[in-house]
Amino acid sequence: MKMRAEKNNKQSIRKVIKSDFKRNYILYIIFIPVIVYYVIFCYKPMYGAIIAFKDYQPSLGIWDSPWVGFEHFKNFFANPDFVRILRNTVVISVASIIFGFPAPIILALLFNELKIPKLKSASQTISYIPHFISLVVVCGLIKDFVSQGGIIYQIVSSISGNTAGLLSRAECFVPIYIISDIWQEVGWGSIIYLAALAGIDQELYEAAKIDGAGKWNQMVHVTLPGIAPTIIIMFILRIGNLLTVGYEKIILLYNPLIYETSDVISSYVYRVGFAQQNWSYSSAVGLLNSVVNFIILIIANNISSRVSETSLW
């Protein structure tokens, strides 16, 4: 009886899938390029992670290169730069969460209070523009503004009295990175929160007004609870990238004078892998970084599901 029930369940599942495919075959066809993209560019390259456990030599290929096990991981932990690189990565990432994560939420709330459609549309468009500017151009602007003679340099030097260029001072790198990152991404990041705000039932605001709630109380008791699930999901995803700080901007801005605060895991992997051509070692560091991020994501998701009943799965 049990085997017969399992067989009937499998047949019913097949029928459901078959009928759904017949109804929505166009959507399945449209989805094929997405699957192909992820298979080719996301999952297939994972095969190359095996070189993290080998002494990879291009002339021998991946399979014929000698195995070294966890030697590269041990070397990374024993590296005198390990503590500095990990500290810089965590500091920049945590600072981005503290100051950068709330920024698009606040901006979306401000946009939501604009009642003039043209002003609201123009403000949103202006805030989106920095996201589409090339990162090379953005970093060039940052260097011009903070170098000697730049407007930001002149303001800071007049206040502090220090005449050294800001990008030659290790203590200035993190603020420069965080502030410029917020400027570039705050508008684009607010889009998802604006979409969440649009889904809030307007009758809740009417009920709050009848109860005598002002704008602040409406935001606290209606708006924020309404977008709380979106905020939690985005926060979990951000926590899952705690040790991921993009190397592109770091490499375009840093220099040996400020490695003390600017060198992070991704820039270290880039420098070791490409400049020193130590592919196995850099792959080991990158793989370790991904595994740690995955573990943090799992933990954050489980905590969220227990505390707020909102999670990724």
Side-chain angles (χ1 to χ4, degrees):
M1 293 293 292
K2 185 177 180 181
M3 293 179 62
R4 186 180 297 176
E6 290 179 354
K7 186 177 180 181
N8 292 333
N9 288 335
K10 290 181 180 179
Q11 290 178 350
S12 62
I13 292 173
R14 290 175 183 174
K15 289 180 180 179
V16 170
I17 294 174
K18 189 175 181 180
S19 61
D20 185 70
F21 182 80
K22 287 182 179 179
R23 290 197 306 269
N24 304 302
Y25 70 93
I26 295 178
L27 295 178
Y28 284 100
I29 293 173
I30 294 174
F31 190 62
I32 289 175
V34 178
I35 297 176
V36 172
Y37 171 83
Y38 277 97
V39 170
I40 295 176
F41 296 103
C42 296
Y43 291 100
K44 186 180 178 182
M46 292 175 67
Y47 158 77
I50 195 173
I51 68 174
F53 305 94
K54 291 194 168 194
D55 183 13
Y56 175 66
Q57 300 175 25
S59 59
L60 297 177
I62 294 178
W63 283 111
D64 293 331
S65 296
W67 281 93
V68 295
F70 292 94
E71 181 180 342
H72 298 303
F73 297 92
K74 294 177 182 177
N75 292 337
F76 179 57
F77 288 124
N79 193 313
D81 295 329
F82 170 73
V83 175
R84 170 175 60 83
I85 293 168
L86 181 61
R87 182 196 65 217
N88 293 343
T89 304
V90 172
V91 167
I92 292 176
S93 187
V94 171
S96 296
I97 293 174
I98 294 174
F99 299 103
F101 183 79
I105 301 174
I106 295 171
L107 184 63
L109 293 173
L110 293 175
F111 283 151
N112 192 53
E113 294 301 321
L114 291 176
K115 302 305 179 184
I116 304 175
K118 290 185 177 180
L119 178 60
K120 183 177 181 179
S121 177
S123 301
Q124 289 180 246
T125 303
I126 293 172
S127 69
Y128 302 157
I129 290 175
H131 173 80
F132 297 99
I133 300 176
S134 169
L135 189 59
V136 176
V137 175
V138 171
C139 291
L141 292 172
I142 293 171
K143 288 183 176 180
D144 288 339
F145 290 150
V146 303
S147 62
Q148 292 183 345
I151 183 171
I152 296 177
Y153 164 81
Q154 292 180 3
I155 295 172
V156 174
S157 61
S158 63
I159 296 173
S160 64
N162 193 325
T163 58
L166 297 184
L167 280 179
S168 63
R169 295 160 55 184
E171 69 275 10
C172 294
F173 179 80
V174 175
I176 291 172
Y177 183 93
I178 299 300
I179 293 172
S180 61
D181 197 55
I182 292 174
W183 168 78
Q184 189 175 12
E185 298 296 338
V186 64
W188 185 254
S190 67
I191 293 176
I192 190 169
Y193 298 108
L194 288 170
L197 287 168
I200 298 176
D201 189 353
Q202 296 301 310
E203 292 182 359
L204 296 175
Y205 289 105
E206 296 298 331
K209 289 178 182 178
I210 293 173
D211 291 339
K215 288 291 184 181
W216 176 259
N217 286 325
Q218 290 178 35
M219 183 187 70
V220 172
H221 299 289
V222 178
T223 306
L224 290 179
I227 64 174
T230 303
I231 294 174
I232 293 171
I233 293 298
M234 297 302 295
F235 185 74
I236 293 172
L237 293 174
R238 183 64 186 84
I239 289 293
N241 291 316
L242 183 65
L243 297 183
T244 301
V245 178
Y247 68 89
E248 299 93 342
K249 189 175 182 179
I250 297 288
I251 290 173
L252 290 169
L253 290 178
Y254 79 165
N255 59 74
L257 293 175
I258 57 174
Y259 276 175
E260 179 186 348
T261 58
S262 63
D263 198 18
V264 296
I265 293 176
S266 59
S267 62
Y268 179 74
V269 168
Y270 176 87
R271 194 168 63 252
V272 172
F274 288 91
Q276 301 178 16
Q277 296 185 349
N278 193 345
W279 297 288
S280 293
Y281 181 75
S282 63
S283 296
V285 177
L287 180 61
L288 177 65
N289 186 33
S290 299
V291 170
V292 172
N293 278 333
F294 179 72
I295 293 173
I296 294 173
L297 176 64
I298 297 296
I299 294 172
N301 186 73
N302 288 338
I303 293 174
S304 176
S305 63
R306 293 178 182 179
V307 174
S308 65
E309 298 183 354
T310 301
S311 61
L312 294 174
W313 61 82

